[in-house]
């Protein structure tokens, strides 16, 4: 018997949308690698006190700058010790907490601001749109690193200040993307239908528009989280971010810089984990975009 | 066209005005600027005297107005730390930052555009995948770390390039790469996407059908159209780059405007910081304005927007 091209039969026997989605997820290398690495780093950060072999703040003048195990060090300090004799592995593990916390919270704050602005601009249009577009222009014109450094210098480099500054600065991409997505959804029949039966604006935005643009929102959250992690590291590297003795990866690179000539691993190791974290977040974000909206791939 | 330019210029001026307001209010975010100038061990009388000398006791709007009107005349006041006019300090340092910015964007364009074109000619080829990998990895690379690695490899191990300073063109090689690579992924992706779109269009098929040589089709017909959005992206990136030069200049000890920003922020030298924020913003505003005008000139459809 030859294959029948009956569309109805195909619909019944063919893969379901759920199966297709699962196939896309497990067939996407970047997404898989990204989520595994990020998942591991999140676990390390959550269970830092259980995993870390030493206290990240404990100094030991007798065990300063011991090399990591692969450069002839001992298993007592698998990744060696820094210039104050603190265990490098433990500082890295606790540093994951700082990076992830700052990245996530800053992305959420800026996500809230940017989404509210972008959706309002797209939904109401007219003057609201003009004002939001203007604010985006103003924000883009301000040099982020410079403004963040200046504000941190004024208020002092605590975790809260760094998170707040980054959260208040990084909303531009959210606003741009959410505005465009809302405009795209705005003209669909279901929005017109909801309006026709007299739904309130809040209801239309919350139950008709938001569910249809939340995919894009998640992608931007990952990208901005990566951005925030990199900025925090840069601020801390310049000495105007998270302050010592807090274990921040950017700060560790900056402290290791003095001894880079003889002990390059002091700079290489924290920089590499930073790179791995940002890369995994970006891979996850790119992967989510490909899987949820394959038509936007290029 | 003239209407578009006027409208766009009006927007640019309004944005610049708002940025100036924000950077001015930074001074008052810091609490009492007089106490900051006086230092930690100053008495109350000293602080009071400084407040009167600098005019901090007058209404804020008046102070803003005076600051803005003298800034428009090119006078940004005197640096608290260097005790010199801020405008002169910045002008002196700006040439290094501008050189770095121009080198950085040229490096990014000269590497990213050919890579994007090559990737688009053979989508999903090995080269395309390599380009994609480079752009994903490049975006995740912390620039300060990248800079330090380059110093370790090329200055310390190989001894090919000087690690810091600005004495010769060789001193600018590593800073250029570190500043430029960050703009590469976006430029490459946009070139690739633009080329892919253009290559599937009707006029390319026509050009091929009439027997035009492939090289001519690629560069005369395709790239010229695909490059238009890249021009405005490059302008935006150039604006971001100048703002980002602060990290690069501090790694390689280039005493440009970014380094000055870092110095003055660490020393609470607010007039210099305010002026630098304004100057860097102005660069961004001017670049994006020029890019929009250029785009509108190249593509009349843009003028409606």
């Amino acid at each position: 018997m030859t294959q029948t091209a009956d569309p109805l039969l195909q619909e019944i026997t063919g893969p379901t949308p759920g199966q297709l989605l699962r196939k896309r997820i497990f067939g996407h290398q970047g997404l898989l690698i990204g989520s595994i690495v990020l998942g591991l780093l999140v676990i390390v950060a959550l269970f830092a006190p259980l995993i870390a072999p030493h206290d990240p703040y404990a100094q030991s003048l007798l065990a300063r700058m011991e090399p990591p195990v692969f450069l002839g060090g001992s298993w007592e300090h698998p990744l060696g010790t820094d210039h104050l004799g603190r265990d490098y592995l433990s500082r890295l593990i606790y540093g994951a907490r700082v990076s992830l916390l700052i990245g996530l919270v800053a992305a959420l704050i800026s996500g809230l601001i940017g989404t509210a602005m972008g959706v309002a601009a797209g939904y109401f249009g007219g003057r609201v749109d003009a004002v939001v577009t203007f604010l985006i222009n103003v924000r883009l014109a301000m040099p982020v690193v410079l403004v963040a450094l200046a504000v941190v210098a004024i208020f002092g480099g605590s975790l809260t200040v760094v998170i707040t500054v980054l959260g208040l600065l990084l909303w531009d991409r959210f606003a741009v993307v959410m505005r465009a997505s809302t405009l795209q959804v705005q003209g669909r029949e279901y929005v017109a239908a909801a309006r026709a039966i007299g739904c309130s604006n809040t209801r239309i935005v919350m139950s008709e528009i938001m569910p249809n643009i939340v995919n894009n929102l998640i992608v931007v959250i990952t990208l901005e989280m990566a951005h925030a992690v990199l900025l925090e590291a840069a601020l801390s590297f310049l000495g105007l971010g998270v302050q010592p003795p807090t274990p921040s990866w950017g700060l560790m690179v900056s402290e290791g810089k003095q001894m880079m000539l003889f002990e390059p691993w002091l700079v290489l190791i924290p920089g590499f984990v930073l790179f791995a974290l940002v890369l995994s977040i970006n891979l996850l974000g790119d992967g989510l975009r490909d899987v949820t909206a394959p038509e936007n791939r290029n | 066209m003239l209407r578009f330019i006027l409208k766009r210029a009006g927007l640019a001026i309004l944005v610049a005005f708002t940025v100036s307001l924000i950077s001015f209010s930074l001074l008052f975010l810091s609490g009492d600027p007089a106490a900051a100038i006086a230092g930690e061990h100053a008495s109350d009388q000293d602080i009071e005297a400084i407040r009167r000398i600098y005019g901090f006791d007058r209404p804020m709007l008046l102070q803003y107005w005076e600051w803005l009107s003298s800034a428009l005349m090119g006078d940004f006041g005197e640096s608290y730390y260097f005790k010199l006019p801020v405008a002169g300090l910045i002008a002196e340092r700006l040439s290094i930052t501008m050189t770095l910015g121009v080198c950085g964007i040229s490096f990014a364009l000269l590497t990213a555009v050919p890579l994007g074109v090559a990737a688009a000619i053979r989508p999903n080829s090995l080269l395309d995948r390599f380009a994609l990998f480079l752009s994903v990895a490049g975006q995740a690379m912390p620039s300060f770390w990248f800079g330090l690695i380059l110093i370790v490899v090329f200055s310390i191990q190989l001894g090919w390039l000087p690690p810091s300073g600005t004495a010769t063109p060789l001193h600018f090689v590593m800073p250029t790469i570190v500043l430029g690579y960050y703009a590469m992924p976006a430029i490459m992706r946009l070139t690739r996407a633009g080329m892919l779109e253009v290559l599937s269009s009707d006029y390319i098929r026509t050009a091929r059908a009439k027997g035009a040589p492939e090289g001519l089709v690629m560069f005369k017909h395709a790239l010229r159209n695909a490059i238009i959005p890249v021009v405005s992206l490059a302008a935006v990136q150039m604006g971001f780059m100048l703002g980002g030069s602060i990290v690069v200049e501090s790694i390689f000890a280039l005493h440009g405007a970014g380094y000055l920003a870092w110095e003055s922020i660490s020393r609470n030298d607010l007039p210099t910081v305010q002026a630098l924020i304004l100057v860097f913003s102005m660069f961004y505003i001017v670049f994006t304005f020029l890019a929009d005008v250029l785009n509108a000139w190249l593509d009349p459809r843009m003028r409606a927007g």
Side-chain angles (χ1 to χ4, degrees):
Chain A
M1 217 175 91
T2 51
Q3 198 106 48
T4 49
D6 185 355
L8 198 65
L9 188 69
Q10 201 129 60
E11 205 171 290
I12 296 168
T13 57
T16 65
Q19 280 172 329
L20 280 176
L21 184 66
R22 244 164 284 152
K23 204 178 152 198
R24 282 212 297 270
I25 290 174
F26 287 103
H28 197 291
Q29 279 177 357
L31 180 63
L32 284 181
I33 297 172
S35 34
I36 290 171
V37 175
L38 184 61
L40 280 175
L41 286 168
V42 169
I43 291 173
V44 164
L46 283 177
F47 298 104
L50 298 176
I51 301 171
H54 296 272
D55 177 353
Y57 297 102
Q59 306 182 1
S60 161
L61 290 177
L62 292 175
R64 287 166 56 205
M65 306 232 283
E66 286 188 3
V69 95
F70 47 85
L71 291 174
S74 72
W75 280 104
E76 173 65 18
H77 299 290
L79 290 180
T81 56
D82 68 5
H83 61 296
L84 296 174
R86 297 174 294 195
D87 183 55
Y88 225 46
L89 179 62
S90 307
R91 289 187 70 72
L92 274 184
I93 291 172
Y94 276 88
R97 287 188 154 187
V98 174
S99 279
L100 282 168
L101 183 75
I102 291 181
L104 193 65
V105 181
L108 289 180
I109 295 175
S110 50
L112 213 62
I113 301 173
T115 307
M117 288 173 63
V119 171
Y123 185 76
F124 293 111
R127 275 196 200 144
V128 181
D129 190 21
V131 171
V132 169
T133 313
F134 177 71
L135 288 177
I136 294 174
N137 273 316
V138 171
R139 164 48 209 88
L140 283 173
M142 316 244 310
V144 181
V145 184
L146 201 57
V147 174
L149 280 174
V151 176
V152 172
I154 289 170
F155 288 103
S158 73
L159 216 57
T160 329
V161 171
V162 175
I163 290 176
T164 316
V165 169
L166 294 181
L168 292 179
L169 278 175
L170 299 181
W171 49 264
D172 50 296
R173 199 175 341 194
F174 286 101
V176 171
V177 173
M178 288 294 101
R179 176 178 171 273
S181 315
T182 308
L183 280 175
Q184 216 170 40
V185 173
Q186 178 81 292
R188 299 281 167 82
E189 297 88 344
Y190 50 79
V191 176
R195 208 168 270 153
I197 59 171
C199 291
S200 67
N201 284 335
T202 328
R203 169 119 189 225
I204 296 176
V205 167
M206 282 308 171
S207 53
E208 307 294 333
I209 291 180
M210 278 313 282
N212 288 295
I213 60 176
V214 79
N215 286 346
N216 296 348
L217 178 60
I218 292 171
V219 172
V220 183
I221 287 180
T222 60
L223 294 178
E224 286 307 305
M225 184 175 163
H227 195 180
V229 168
L230 277 179
L231 272 177
E232 178 275 318
L235 295 186
S236 301
F237 173 77
L238 290 173
L240 284 162
V242 179
Q243 294 301 309
T246 314
S248 147
W249 294 342
L251 202 55
M252 289 171 77
V253 172
S254 154
E255 287 164 351
K257 195 179 66 169
Q258 321 296 330
M259 289 143 282
M260 192 172 72
L261 214 63
F262 308 104
E263 314 282 351
W265 54 271
L266 280 172
V267 164
L268 292 179
I269 295 174
F272 180 75
V273 275
L274 187 60
F275 173 65
L277 171 63
V278 176
L279 186 61
S280 70
I281 300 175
N282 279 340
L283 283 176
L284 181 71
D286 285 355
L288 283 176
R289 187 197 50 212
D290 291 353
V291 167
T292 54
E295 67 276 7
N296 295 343
R297 198 164 304 169
N298 290 316
Chain B
M1 186 69 194
L2 189 70
R3 236 189 92 199
F4 173 83
I5 294 180
L6 285 178
K7 216 174 128 190
R8 188 62 190 70
L11 177 71
I13 291 170
L14 214 56
V15 169
F17 185 71
T18 315
V19 170
S20 79
L21 198 62
I22 294 173
S23 66
F24 178 76
S25 53
L26 264 184
L27 182 68
F28 291 89
L29 267 181
S30 63
D32 192 347
I37 301 169
E40 278 173 48
H41 307 290
S43 68
D44 285 350
Q45 285 98 325
D46 292 346
I47 295 177
E48 195 53 46
I50 287 175
R51 187 169 295 143
R52 219 164 309 123
I53 295 169
Y54 282 88
F56 295 135
D57 51 351
R58 292 168 307 150
M60 223 177 111
L61 268 178
L62 187 69
Q63 290 184 50
Y64 171 66
W65 174 244
E66 282 181 358
W67 178 73
L68 185 69
S69 49
S70 46
L72 283 175
M73 312 291 270
D75 174 14
F76 289 98
E78 189 179 83
S79 153
Y80 295 167
Y81 177 77
F82 294 99
K83 309 286 177 207
L84 288 167
V86 172
L89 268 177
I90 295 181
E92 197 180 294
R93 306 283 195 101
L94 214 50
S95 66
I96 290 180
T97 303
M98 289 304 287
T99 313
L100 190 58
V102 171
C103 292
I105 197 72
S106 315
F107 169 74
L109 284 171
L110 288 176
T111 49
V113 170
L115 210 57
V117 171
I121 291 175
R122 293 190 201 292
N124 287 320
S125 65
L126 209 62
L127 186 74
D128 186 21
R129 280 164 190 279
F130 172 72
L132 187 70
F133 169 77
L134 259 192
S135 81
V136 173
Q139 254 167 353
M141 183 88 98
S143 56
F144 57 90
W145 187 57
F146 186 42
L148 292 178
I149 292 181
L150 289 185
I151 292 181
V152 168
V153 175
F154 291 103
S155 303
I156 299 174
Q157 304 283 344
L158 299 171
W160 290 353
L161 294 167
S164 61
T166 47
T168 66
L170 273 185
H171 284 88
F172 281 93
V173 174
M174 289 195 291
T176 297
I177 296 173
V178 175
L179 193 64
Y181 90 94
Y182 201 72
M184 280 175 58
I187 295 176
M188 199 211 76
R189 284 183 186 206
L190 195 64
T191 311
R192 179 179 178 276
M195 279 299 276
L196 280 177
E197 199 187 314
V198 170
L199 284 178
S200 64
S201 64
D202 292 337
Y203 60 86
I204 294 296
R205 199 173 346 134
T206 311
R208 281 185 176 145
K210 74 175 188 195
E214 191 60 23
L216 195 71
V217 173
M218 280 298 160
F219 292 101
K220 195 178 161 207
H221 295 86
L223 187 59
R224 263 172 73 170
N225 285 291
I227 207 83
I228 295 176
V230 176
V231 171
S232 64
L233 178 70
V236 172
Q237 293 285 352
M238 175 95 181
F240 284 147
M241 248 180 211
L242 292 177
S245 67
I246 181 167
V247 176
V248 177
E249 288 181 17
S250 84
I251 299 172
F252 294 101
L254 302 181
H255 289 235
Y259 197 83
L260 179 66
W262 183 64
E263 282 178 301
S264 49
I265 287 172
S266 330
R267 282 159 182 161
N268 255 327
D269 188 355
L270 278 163
T272 317
V273 178
Q274 285 176 329
L276 280 166
I277 291 179
L278 199 59
V279 168
F280 280 125
S281 305
M282 286 310 295
F283 275 118
Y284 177 89
I285 292 168
V286 170
F287 283 139
T288 46
F289 170 71
L290 291 178
D292 281 357
V293 171
L294 185 66
N295 260 331
W297 181 59
L298 290 171
D299 184 352
R301 282 170 300 180
M302 304 281 289
R303 288 174 212 168

